[in-house]
Amino acid sequence: MANTALEILGLLLTLIGLIGAAASTGMPMWRVTAFIGENIIVFETRYEGLWMNCFKQADIRMQCKVYDSLLALPPDLQAARGLMCCAVALAGLGLLVSLAGLQCTSCIRNNDRAKRTVLVIAGSTIIMACICVLIPVSWTAHVIIRDFYNPLLIDAQRRELGEALYIGWVAGAFLFAGGCVFTCRNVQSEGKETRSYVYSRNSDYVAYPPQPVQPLQPQRLVLLPRAQARPVLSRHPSTNYSYQSSYPSRYPSVRSGVAYL
């Protein structure tokens, strides 16, 4: 029961991380205009994302334009595109693979070792997706902070961290937690492998009525006859006098021998 609850928890964490990674990939709020100078028009906000640029004015809906050329983008955005797409693909693949290894599913029957192996593979894939999310998000944040404090740039060229970066960090944390639940929980040594017995529903089961308990009967004691002690000849006539009538001796006594002499 505890294993099933942990697996469902890991599945939910992975699903939340996948949704966050997909949202961060499609959102244009990676770079936001910094309002720090007098030359910036405060009622206009500019957003720069992985796929498009957007402008938003006061009381006017947002207008976006897709980038005309991929090669015209800075290197961090070019790498971020590929890594974020890989992260979404790996997270989705890990989520689908983990469904086959859950205890509450019947994709793999009567083989707990195979289910644990599938969950370990799914957890490793999800952790790889977490790494692919954190690299472009952190790299873009580093470039934004570096340019913000660059004295060679004017105020109109400086940007701030957008909402998509924070969503990416949170999504990476959820993916890391889900991958650790699948991986660390199912990694077991061969010596400590637990055995489980599965009973088929179609097996012929016969219920035997319980037998009454028989009370213990007292046992009779059997007395063995004692061995009678044999008389022992002695040189003193007083000791063997009573035995002479019933047990005659083949050897004459000492006194009889003296009489004959």
Side-chain angles (χ1 to χ4, degrees):
M1 187 66 182
N3 293 339
T4 304
L6 286 176
E7 290 172 357
I8 295 177
L9 176 62
L11 189 67
L12 293 177
L13 292 175
T14 305
L15 181 61
I16 295 174
L18 174 61
I19 295 174
S24 178
T25 304
M27 290 176 63
M29 293 81 171
W30 282 64
R31 301 166 182 255
V32 184
T33 304
F35 301 101
I36 56 177
E38 298 178 356
N39 297 328
I40 301 296
I41 303 176
V42 294
F43 60 86
E44 180 178 317
T45 306
R46 180 177 179 180
Y47 301 100
E48 297 178 5
L50 299 179
W51 313 96
M52 62 190 71
N53 276 334
C54 296
F55 294 90
K56 182 179 180 181
Q57 296 179 355
D59 299 333
I60 300 177
R61 63 180 182 178
M62 183 182 298
Q63 299 179 356
C64 299
K65 179 183 179 183
V66 182
Y67 293 123
D68 296 331
S69 176
L70 176 63
L71 300 178
L73 297 176
D76 57 331
L77 290 183
Q78 293 182 14
R81 275 188 173 185
L83 289 174
M84 292 300 293
C85 292
C86 291
V88 173
L90 289 175
L93 180 62
L95 187 64
L96 293 177
V97 172
S98 65
L99 291 175
L102 297 178
Q103 298 292 336
C104 57
T105 59
S106 59
C107 297
I108 302 175
R109 297 181 179 179
N110 302 333
N111 195 342
D112 291 341
R113 184 177 181 181
K115 283 194 172 186
R116 287 196 298 269
T117 304
V118 170
L119 289 179
V120 169
I121 295 174
S124 303
T125 306
I126 294 170
I127 292 177
M128 292 174 60
C130 167
I131 296 174
C132 292
V133 170
L134 294 179
I135 289 177
V137 171
S138 302
W139 187 7
T140 304
H142 169 70
V143 173
I144 293 174
I145 295 174
R146 182 194 62 188
D147 294 341
F148 186 85
Y149 293 104
N150 188 0
L152 300 179
L153 297 178
I154 60 176
D155 295 338
Q157 295 177 341
R158 296 176 182 177
R159 299 291 182 266
E160 291 184 354
L161 303 178
E163 293 86 349
L165 299 180
Y166 297 102
I167 295 177
W169 280 320
V170 175
F174 275 100
L175 290 175
F176 180 76
C180 289
V181 169
F182 285 135
T183 304
C184 300
R185 187 65 184 82
N186 295 279
V187 172
Q188 295 181 358
S189 60
E190 294 295 333
K192 297 182 180 179
E193 183 178 0
T194 58
R195 296 181 180 180
S196 60
Y197 300 92
V198 180
Y199 298 93
S200 177
R201 295 181 179 179
N202 300 325
S203 61
D204 297 333
Y205 175 74
V206 179
Y208 294 94
Q211 300 295 331
V213 179
Q214 298 293 337
L216 296 178
Q217 298 293 338
Q219 301 294 332
R220 294 182 179 180
L221 297 178
V222 179
L223 299 178
L224 298 178
R226 293 183 178 180
Q228 297 180 358
R230 287 188 175 185
V232 179
L233 295 178
S234 175
R235 292 185 180 184
H236 303 282
S238 61
T239 57
N240 57 0
Y241 174 76
S242 60
Y243 298 98
Q244 288 179 1
S245 59
S246 58
Y247 296 96
S249 176
R250 292 184 298 176
Y251 302 97
S253 61
V254 175
R255 181 175 298 180
S256 63
V258 174
Y260 286 117
L261 291 176

